[in-house]
Amino acid sequence: MKRALTRIVNWSHDLIAEVVNSGDLVVDLTAGKGQDVLALFQMVGPPGQVIAFDIQAKALASTKSLLEGRGASVRFSPVDEQPVSSRAGIALVETSHAQLDCYIAGKPRGIIANLGYLPGGDQDIITRPQSTVTALEQASSLLDIGGRVAVTAYPDHPGGDEEATAVTKFFTNLPEHIFYVLQLKVSNRPKSPFLFVAEKLI
Ligand SMILES: C[S@@+](CC[C@H](N)C(=O)[O-])C[C@H]1O[C@@H](n2cnc3c(N)ncnc32)[C@H](O)[C@@H]1O
């Protein structure tokens, strides 16, 4: 089947799926409407665990409804800065991804972040450079060896360009003996979303 060449988010799913297996632990830093959580759930299957963060209750409610409709076991984890218990299914945490390392006890094989605002939601509630970079620092430290973190940045909304610049700086500065870093962008459309994927080597 012909694939949509410029659908960057599809590439992020494919590149995470290459290193994730059934039963693994994976994380979504921005649950939103749950499309990325669904993709992760399909990678890890019912024995795996997906932990997803969002600061908006309505985003997590959408994610819950989508995933339950696909047969996943979904629960809300308490916001108490304690690690989410290791249990198969989807765990939703209503807090900032900047708190990531308080909530993740294991070594995720895949971590995904689709930045920006909730599609169809309030466009003033966006991911922000400082908390995004804090989350990425923690994500790259928590990541399992051989695991990948994939981030899609959106330079085309107010505040998005600043965040895209911070994300680019973060990935560009990852030490080359610890990470391979790939960037995928639509070269003739500079305001299009673009993707970074980092794989942990040691
Ligand atoms: C582009 S949407 C995510 C799309 C989503 N992954 C999907 O598949 O539908 C970005 C989401 O990031 C959330 N967000 C913004 N700041 C955040 C933060 N500091 N921590 C966690 N989520 C945040 C927003 O509420 C919004 O739902």
Side-chain angles (χ1 to χ4, degrees), residues 9 13 28-38 53-56 59-60 63 66 93 95-98 112-119 125-128 131-132 154:
V9 168
H13 295 170
D28 186 352
L29 298 177
T30 56
K33 293 195 155 177
Q35 295 298 335
D36 297 309
V37 176
L38 176 59
F53 295 81
D54 206 291
I55 51 173
Q56 294 192 71
L60 294 175
T63 298
L66 177 68
V93 193
T95 195
S96 172
H97 44 224
I112 204 160
N114 197 347
L115 303 175
Y117 55 84
L118 182 65
I125 306 176
I126 56 173
T127 52
R128 304 272 175 191
S131 46
T132 296
Y154 294 78

